[in-house]
Amino acid sequence: MMKKPRLAFRIFTVMLAASAASLLVLAVWSALAMRSLYVDSTLTSLGQVASSLANVVPASGAEAFFSSAAAGTGLRITLIAADGSVESDSEGNPLSMDNHSSRPEVAGALAGRVSTSMRRSPTLGLDMAYAAAPVTVDGAVTGVLRVAMATTELSRRLTPFIIASSAVAAAMIVAMAFASARLSASVNGPVSALMEASRDWSSGRLERRLRRFDDPELAPLSDTMNAMAAELAARIVGMERQGRELGAILDAMGEAVLSTDADLVIRLANPSAVALLAAGGAPSSIEGLTVLKASGNTALDAMAGRCASGSGRDEAEVTLYGDDTRRLLVHAAPLPLEGGRYGALLVLNDISRLKRLERVKQDFVANVSHELRTPITLIKGFAETLEEVDDPAEARRFLAIIKRHADRMASIVDDLLTLARLEGPERGLLETSTVNAAQVIARAVESLGDAPAERGVSLTTAVEAGLEAQANEGLLEQALVNLLDNAVKYSPRGAAVRAEAAADGGFVRFAVRDEGPGIPARELPRLFERFYRVDKARSRELGGTGLGLAIVRHIALVHGGDASVESREGSGSTFYLRVPRYCQ
């Protein structure tokens, strides 16, 4: 494919062609005008010569007169009678010539006026210029005197002028070509610089600057273009900075943020949104999916649809089902798009934990009220009854009941105070030391006293030699006592309880295994909550407060560890407590 010529070459070519054409037309017109002027003046001169000679035509010896008159002039003189016959000619034989009455200049002269014409001579076969004047005698036209000159003589005389005109035209064309080249070069430089700068700017290289043009009229253009590039670069840098800041904010937000187009297709999703919806079964990349496909939730899709229709902000709680059922507080707002359309901006807050804590709080208040009301009611009732009893033995029995329920209330209050201390500000100031795992298990077993024997339960231990933990010895012993006490209480007679300790990476894992009734799988997630009981009637019968496992969990947490359970209904349970082996 032929390459398109550069702009400068096109400008030069157009200007040169226009200049050359103008000069050529001027030269041709000048030559034609000069020729016309020269012809007119020649014919006028010939007419004057013809008139002069017509006035002095001799009565006899005309041929000799005409020959001497035409000698050295290049003129041809002819005398024509009134009837058109040639009487005398300075260059030819009159007898061999045709009648000239039909010649236009002759006809005009016979009519009494000087006439001229230019035409081809049939006698000589040349282009000639003619002038004829009437010859009169006593006022009557008796003949015609005609003077002729060959046009070759006319051309010879015009040649110097044509050569001079052509030379001037050529010189002017050369001058115009030089001026056009200089002009096109002066235009091409700035245009080329602008084109190169524009290519760099369109490619993102906004640091490129134009050299200031030498032309005072174009210099402001380079300054303006440079200022525009600087402003554009500053704006792009600002937009990129804002984009990075916005991206960092969205990435750091704990709330899930989604934005959609008018068709509810997700255009942007921050990591929290991806993680939240991925937990519900959505793909790891949800951009490009519809809200319904990504979330599988019709309520969320309906909220987005209302915002996309421009109906205004919306707020609602939505349940998101998946591996774990989660409660979401969703804020939705219209997102203006191009063309007057709207998308949707969704902010999703996972309030599942808050809802769970709210339920736990409600259960806690109800359980505390219930746990305290029972012993208070019994104490009040037996105290009132004691006032009316006279039998000392019966009074002592009532007092024993009152004391037992008072002790139960004291245990509940002590456990609540222990939990409050573990959750309080001083939890971060926990004093720890290196604790021998075997020794702390032995002291916990010792703290149970005769309870295992009374229940008919055997208790064994298995600890790795030399195993040590970094913990608060008193709290760790309390947690193990709670676990062992529960295992002994809920194990049937003749069962075995085993306490173990082993290294688990950077932790020491304590385990208490029993052969009790086991725990249903549905109860396991809530087992470490305050006052939560699997078998409420039996738990109270065995004297439990319902706070032991909650205390175990909090003791593990303040150490930077955790507590967990493995159990299957009818197959016993294993409770785990992990604390660090080394200083954290």
Side-chain angles (χ1 to χ4, degrees), residues 338-414:
E338 57 278 359
R341 305 180 73 192
Y342 289 93
L345 181 64
L346 304 175
V347 180
L348 293 72
N349 292 277
D350 189 350
I351 58 174
S352 303
R353 184 170 178 270
L354 294 177
K355 288 292 183 181
R356 185 166 55 252
L357 290 176
E358 183 179 343
R359 186 182 70 250
V360 170
K361 181 180 178 181
Q362 292 172 349
D363 292 346
F364 173 74
V365 173
N367 288 331
V368 168
S369 301
H370 181 75
E371 293 290 340
L372 293 178
R373 185 173 63 245
T374 299
I376 289 173
T377 301
L378 289 172
I379 290 172
K380 181 179 179 181
F382 280 105
E384 291 173 351
T385 303
L386 187 60
E387 293 176 350
E388 301 176 359
V389 173
D390 296 329
D391 186 359
E394 190 72 11
R396 283 194 296 273
R397 187 173 70 83
F398 288 165
L399 287 173
I401 294 173
I402 291 174
K403 182 177 182 300
R404 185 171 69 249
H405 286 288
D407 290 341
R408 174 171 170 75
M409 289 179 59
S411 296
I412 293 174
V413 172
D414 288 342

Side-chain angles (χ1 to χ4, degrees), residues 9 23 87 101 128 181 194 201 304 332 340 353 409 432 449 458 536:
F9 182 76
L23 289 174
E87 293 182 353
S101 61
M128 303 291 288
L194 285 173
W201 293 337
R353 184 170 178 270
M409 289 179 59
T432 62
S458 63
K536 296 179 175 59

Side-chain angles (χ1 to χ4, degrees), residues 177 203 217 244 246 256 291 300 417 430 481 500 507 526 548-549:
S203 301
E217 294 184 357
R244 288 193 299 269
L246 179 60
V291 173
L300 190 63
L417 290 175
L430 182 68
V481 167
E500 303 172 351
F507 292 86
R526 301 191 62 187
L549 290 179

Side-chain angles (χ1 to χ4, degrees), residues 12 97 115 144 163 165 175 213 219 238 330 361 421 428 447 462 470 519 530 534 546 559 573:
F12 171 74
M97 297 180 183
S115 298
V144 172
I163 293 174
S165 298
F213 299 141
V330 182
K361 181 180 178 181
R421 187 172 68 255
S447 297
Q470 192 71 27
I519 304 169
R530 298 176 177 88
V534 177
H559 281 87
S573 305

Side-chain angles (χ1 to χ4, degrees), residues 208-432:
R208 166 72 183 272
R209 292 294 179 269
L210 284 169
R211 181 180 61 82
R212 200 169 194 272
F213 299 141
D214 296 332
D215 192 326
E217 294 184 357
L218 294 178
L221 176 61
S222 61
D223 295 340
T224 302
M225 295 296 288
N226 287 334
M228 181 193 71
E231 177 68 18
L232 184 60
R235 293 192 179 187
I236 290 177
V237 169
M239 291 176 62
E240 290 177 347
R241 183 179 63 252
Q242 292 178 358
R244 288 193 299 269
E245 291 175 355
L246 179 60
I249 292 172
L250 289 175
D251 290 346
M253 286 180 64
E255 294 83 358
V257 179
L258 298 173
S259 68
T260 75
D261 60 14
D263 298 322
L264 304 187
V265 175
I266 297 174
R267 294 168 43 165
L268 181 145
N270 69 344
S272 297
V274 174
L276 179 65
L277 297 181
S284 57
S285 177
I286 60 176
E287 294 181 2
L289 301 178
T290 62
V291 173
L292 181 60
K293 189 171 182 179
S295 66
N297 190 283
T298 56
L300 190 63
D301 182 69
M303 289 183 68
R306 288 193 293 272
C307 288
S309 65
S311 61
R313 295 175 174 270
D314 197 1
E315 180 178 328
E317 287 189 12
V318 173
T319 301
L320 196 63
Y321 299 97
D323 297 338
D324 296 319
T325 300
R326 282 154 299 155
R327 294 284 294 174
L328 306 179
L329 178 60
V330 182
H331 299 270
L335 181 65
L337 302 175
E338 57 278 359
R341 305 180 73 192
Y342 289 93
L345 181 64
L346 304 175
V347 180
L348 293 72
N349 292 277
D350 189 350
I351 58 174
S352 303
R353 184 170 178 270
L354 294 177
K355 288 292 183 181
R356 185 166 55 252
L357 290 176
E358 183 179 343
R359 186 182 70 250
V360 170
K361 181 180 178 181
Q362 292 172 349
D363 292 346
F364 173 74
V365 173
N367 288 331
V368 168
S369 301
H370 181 75
E371 293 290 340
L372 293 178
R373 185 173 63 245
T374 299
I376 289 173
T377 301
L378 289 172
I379 290 172
K380 181 179 179 181
F382 280 105
E384 291 173 351
T385 303
L386 187 60
E387 293 176 350
E388 301 176 359
V389 173
D390 296 329
D391 186 359
E394 190 72 11
R396 283 194 296 273
R397 187 173 70 83
F398 288 165
L399 287 173
I401 294 173
I402 291 174
K403 182 177 182 300
R404 185 171 69 249
H405 286 288
D407 290 341
R408 174 171 170 75
M409 289 179 59
S411 296
I412 293 174
V413 172
D414 288 342
D415 286 347
L416 287 173
L417 290 175
T418 299
L419 284 172
R421 187 172 68 255
L422 292 173
E423 293 178 336
E426 63 272 16
R427 64 180 294 182
L429 305 175
L430 182 68
E431 294 183 2
T432 62

